[in-house]
Amino acid sequence: MFSLLGRFTHRWRWAVVLVTVVAVPLAGLWGAGVFGVLSTSGYDAPGTETARVNALLEEAEGAGGERVDAVAVYTLPAGTDHSAAVDEPAHAAALQEVFDRLPGEHVESVLHHRDPGPYDPDLYISEDQRSTYLALTLTGADETERLTSYQAVLEHLPADGFEHHLGGQLTSVHELQVIAENDLFTAQLIALPLLFLLLVVVFRGLVAALLPLVLGVLSIIGATALLRLWTQVTEVSVFALQITVLLGLGLAIDYGLFVVGRFRDELARTGDVAAALPPTLATAGRTVAYSGITVAIALCGMLLLPQPISHSIGLGGISVVLLNIVAAVVVLPALLAVLGHRVNRLALPIRALTSPGSVTGLWERLANRVMRRPWLSLTAVTAVLVLAALPLLNLSAGTVSHRYLPPDNDGQISSRILEQEFPAGGPASAVLDVAVVGEGAADPVGLESFADRLDTLPGASGARIEHAAEGLAHLWVSYDGAPDDPVNLDLVRAIRAEPAPPGAQEVLVGGVGTPAATLDDTEATLAALPGVLAFVVAATLVLLGLAFRSVVLPVKAVLAAVLSLAATFGLLTWAIQEGGLAPLLGFAPVGTTDLWLYGIVLVIAFGLTTDYELFIVSRAREEYQRTGDTARSVAGALQQTGGVVSGAALLMVVVLATTGIVSDSLVITTLGIGLSIALVLDATLVRTLLVPASMRLLGRANWWPAR
């Protein structure tokens, strides 16, 4: 089939190129609109107790009380009179102007020290009298609509004579969105020139180096168009855009590298363009298709994670991988057919590290050395990977919050000011939503007694009745510290364990961005991960079995991938959660890890590492069918593909690591660094040492049941 595709693309090369030239600008214009329709919600797992509480309070009119969506903190600059206070006439007038000009169509209510609502006015003013804040409740039926209102009021919030910093749930969401979009462009501006330079070194020529880069640009354009298409039928996260573009660019470069490299080999062997394309697609094209399908199947695991944001990432990733397969086996061969021998133009006098035709090249010597003492290599590599996995024992589950923003971001600054300089108990204080459900839920005596009990629980800094109506009462329980602090998680467990007030049927605990959400989302993710892993492993076994015509090789590949990923997560825990790379990358360690992020790394890394397994072992199978000697086939395959696979891994790491390093969001830093670690371990310890050693020990059993 792939040979026929090679002949087809050669015959219809100009038609394919023409369709591509017309389609790409249209896709670019269509895809550019994706930036205005991306969502920043979808972090919380549906069906949890927290989700139920949030829905109950949203539906019950008035039960939400004074919901605080955002907080604006105003501080007198350091240069003003040290004795100045925010309630002096001049400063008070400047703040009053802000209150007066807030647009009513976007602001449902606003609380401040001149209109404190149910709170003591002193709670709005810092101990040194130089800072104050206003608490905003914005219009909108859901978070997406309220975020639109938030963006509309931003220009109205500055006050003359004050520094102001924004905080609250919507600020964190907004800032994460802005950072994600900015990081996307910054990372591409840095990565694309680096990729071109590396491709020049790999191909030792300018024309050949440009082709994978062209494929990468097509992938970026295609990714935005595909995501725009998905927004027509479902909610798509801004992080889906970043991860989809990241994955699409890396795979496009990889697939372009393999196809162009094999075409040049075949062209050198046959001397004829028409004769070179069919074997190129029958080998490299077939492997690209299998590897792409493997990655796409792995990404289906994202659809099994509970968070809606995971689903949009999975859909975007699957779409762009399938697009890359089509581009690599149809568009790229057509370009190669048009270029022909010109693909070797503008060659540079750069010596390659390996030569595919060399009998005793670097990679072959390395493979033979490993296979002379396979048990030693296997034991040493396994020991290193197990040691690298040990920090995983210190993994502490947490949640994405304002702490994932840079230290100098408004979301972080405002949180520090509110925590350190203002008294507790104001509208900006962190609270858990407690819903008491049942016919007797509104009984005042029972509710007061229940609130008193909650106030005495360890970790609670206050409890009060916010709203009581027939069948539903809403209480607030204040707490201090982060939403993933163990004390606060225990507080949620303690409230849920408390007996319901007389006449009430049940007590539910929730709240957006609270310890209840952290606890529920972590439990939902942990419950889903075994199924995700089982699906990815089973699908990988089937696909590799079809590709290798073997039962043993897929099992070996999965075991190696699991061992490599355990080491990846150990090193990632040390690097991010424990702050091992904090001095180098300039982030503030959070001390916990959102397991949802590890789920994304697991799925994508499993697909990518299996991808490289396919390239090497497929070539080994070709050699084995020719020679019947396992050791020779492994050494020959590593010699033929080692340089290309290492180059592909290096190019992918450039894409991933650049994004992780330049990002100001700890979410993207975690993903970029985690995937980079996975690929580095795979390209060094696994592919060059573990694979040759294990295949040498298995011998003819590698190819069972085929021979």
Side-chain angles (χ1 to χ4, degrees):
M1 183 183 77
F2 287 95
S3 295
L4 290 175
L5 186 59
R7 287 191 281 273
F8 170 84
T9 53
H10 181 267
R11 180 178 180 182
W12 298 99
R13 56 192 180 276
W14 285 110
V16 173
V17 170
L18 180 61
V19 170
T20 304
V21 168
V22 172
V24 168
L26 295 177
L29 290 172
W30 164 258
V34 75
F35 295 97
V37 292
L38 292 174
S39 166
T40 52
S41 59
Y43 296 100
D44 297 326
T48 63
E49 183 170 325
T50 295
R52 186 181 171 192
V53 170
N54 297 345
L56 281 172
L57 298 181
E58 287 280 356
E59 291 171 5
E61 184 178 358
E66 290 292 347
R67 180 192 69 244
V68 175
D69 294 314
V71 176
V73 180
Y74 296 90
T75 302
L76 293 171
T80 56
D81 182 2
H82 185 70
S83 62
V86 294
D87 56 357
E88 290 183 358
H91 302 314
L95 291 173
Q96 188 63 49
E97 287 184 15
V98 176
F99 308 151
D100 293 341
R101 68 171 177 254
L102 289 174
E105 67 271 25
H106 298 297
V107 178
E108 185 175 305
S109 65
V110 57
L111 297 175
H112 47 81
H113 69 283
R114 294 199 161 201
D115 184 12
Y119 301 93
D120 187 331
D122 291 339
L123 296 176
Y124 295 86
I125 299 178
S126 63
E127 295 179 3
D128 64 1
Q129 306 293 303
R130 294 175 61 82
S131 298
T132 188
Y133 69 86
L134 59 86
L136 294 165
T137 301
L138 301 170
T139 59
D142 53 31
E143 185 178 274
T144 301
E145 292 184 7
R146 290 195 288 270
L147 185 63
T148 301
S149 296
Y150 173 87
Q151 293 164 341
V153 303
L154 288 178
E155 61 180 304
H156 301 286
L157 292 175
D160 292 339
F162 284 90
E163 296 175 352
H164 82 289
H165 303 284
L166 304 179
Q169 176 69 14
L170 285 185
T171 296
S172 297
V173 171
H174 172 75
E175 291 298 317
L176 285 170
Q177 176 180 0
V178 171
I179 288 172
E181 292 178 353
N182 291 339
D183 287 348
L184 183 64
F185 293 108
T186 303
Q188 289 177 29
L189 288 175
I190 296 173
L192 288 175
L194 288 175
L195 289 171
F196 178 65
L197 291 175
L198 289 171
L199 286 167
V200 168
V201 173
V202 171
F203 284 129
R204 308 182 306 284
L206 298 179
V207 174
L210 278 172
L211 290 174
L213 209 61
V214 168
L215 209 63
V217 172
L218 293 180
S219 175
I220 293 172
I221 295 172
T224 57
L226 288 170
L227 284 177
R228 175 76 186 281
L229 188 63
W230 278 116
T231 62
Q232 307 302 301
V233 294
T234 188
E235 188 176 70
V236 176
S237 165
V238 65
F239 289 114
L241 172 66
Q242 192 160 33
I243 294 171
T244 299
V245 169
L246 181 72
L247 184 62
L249 175 61
L251 287 177
I253 298 293
D254 271 10
Y255 294 165
L257 179 66
F258 286 118
V259 172
V260 173
R262 190 61 183 251
F263 174 76
R264 294 176 80 196
D265 291 346
E266 294 295 335
L267 192 60
R269 184 178 64 83
T270 64
D272 182 69
V273 176
L277 273 177
T280 295
L281 290 184
T283 52
R286 178 180 181 274
T287 306
V288 161
Y290 267 105
S291 65
I293 292 172
T294 302
V295 175
I297 292 295
L299 286 168
C300 289
M302 296 293 298
L303 305 179
L304 303 180
L305 288 171
Q307 293 82 1
I309 187 176
S310 303
H311 305 162
S312 65
I313 292 172
L315 291 173
I318 293 165
S319 301
V320 79
V321 170
L322 296 178
L323 174 68
N324 275 341
I325 295 174
V326 174
V329 300
V330 177
V331 178
L332 183 56
L335 290 173
L336 290 170
V338 170
L339 286 172
H341 289 277
R342 291 188 293 272
V343 72
N344 294 315
R345 289 278 181 88
L346 302 179
L348 299 177
I350 302 173
R351 183 179 178 184
L353 293 177
T354 61
S355 173
S358 172
V359 178
T360 58
L362 171 66
W363 295 102
E364 186 174 16
R365 291 198 302 273
L366 176 61
N368 285 327
R369 185 171 299 174
V370 168
M371 288 188 290
R372 276 197 292 270
R373 296 182 177 179
W375 279 114
L376 177 63
S377 298
L378 188 65
T379 303
V381 171
T382 301
V384 169
L385 293 176
V386 169
L387 286 173
L390 289 179
L392 192 55
L393 298 174
N394 300 323
L395 182 65
S396 179
T399 188
V400 172
S401 65
H402 67 274
R403 295 176 301 157
Y404 279 67
L405 295 167
D408 59 351
N409 185 274
D410 261 15
Q412 288 267 42
I413 295 172
S414 61
S415 295
R416 288 197 296 269
I417 295 174
L418 289 169
E419 181 179 345
Q420 297 171 8
E421 301 183 18
F422 285 84
S429 297
V431 294
L432 288 162
D433 289 314
V434 179
V436 180
V437 183
E439 292 182 3
D443 175 59
V445 176
L447 279 180
E448 287 290 349
S449 176
F450 184 61
D452 290 340
R453 293 207 318 265
L454 298 186
D455 192 19
T456 63
L457 293 175
S461 58
R464 70 181 180 89
I465 301 168
E466 167 59 21
H467 178 88
E470 186 65 30
L472 176 66
H474 178 199
L475 288 79
W476 276 348
V477 177
S478 303
Y479 64 91
D480 298 317
D484 50 14
D485 189 309
V487 173
N488 295 328
L489 298 179
D490 287 340
L491 173 61
V492 175
R493 297 185 183 99
I495 297 174
R496 289 175 174 174
E498 281 289 315
Q505 275 68 59
E506 60 181 337
V507 173
L508 305 172
V509 186
V512 177
T514 66
T518 300
L519 193 64
D520 289 346
D521 287 341
T522 299
E523 290 178 353
T525 301
L526 283 173
L529 280 178
V532 172
L533 185 59
F535 170 80
V536 172
V537 167
T540 301
L541 287 172
V542 171
L543 285 170
L544 292 184
L546 293 173
F548 298 153
R549 313 281 206 281
S550 166
V551 172
V552 175
L553 284 174
V555 173
K556 178 196 69 66
V558 166
L559 291 176
V562 170
L563 185 60
S564 176
L565 286 174
T568 295
F569 290 128
L571 293 175
L572 184 59
T573 301
W574 166 83
I576 304 299
Q577 177 183 295
E578 298 180 3
L581 291 183
L584 180 63
L585 301 182
F587 64 86
V590 174
T592 59
T593 298
D594 194 322
L595 298 184
W596 164 73
L597 295 175
Y598 274 24
I600 297 176
V601 174
L602 168 69
V603 169
I604 296 177
F606 204 102
L608 292 178
T609 54
T610 305
D611 183 23
Y612 294 142
E613 177 90 7
L614 263 168
F615 282 107
I616 293 177
V617 180
S618 294
R619 196 60 176 258
R621 182 174 177 273
E622 289 181 39
E623 294 292 321
Y624 181 77
Q625 289 177 327
R626 186 174 61 85
T627 66
D629 186 319
T630 297
R632 280 186 61 189
S633 67
V634 172
L638 200 59
Q639 175 59 30
Q640 294 288 334
T641 63
V644 179
V645 167
S646 297
L650 177 61
L651 293 169
M652 181 69 86
V653 168
V654 166
V655 175
L656 297 169
T658 299
T659 303
I661 290 170
V662 305
S663 178
D664 287 327
S665 166
L666 200 54
V667 172
I668 301 302
T669 296
T670 301
L671 295 176
I673 298 301
L675 291 171
S676 298
I677 292 172
L679 290 184
V680 169
L681 290 178
D682 187 75
T684 53
L685 296 180
V686 176
R687 297 295 152 238
T688 59
L689 299 176
L690 193 62
V691 168
S694 59
M695 292 187 73
R696 177 69 179 87
L697 289 170
L698 289 169
R700 292 175 60 85
N702 282 294
W703 320 105
W704 185 84
R707 292 296 184 190

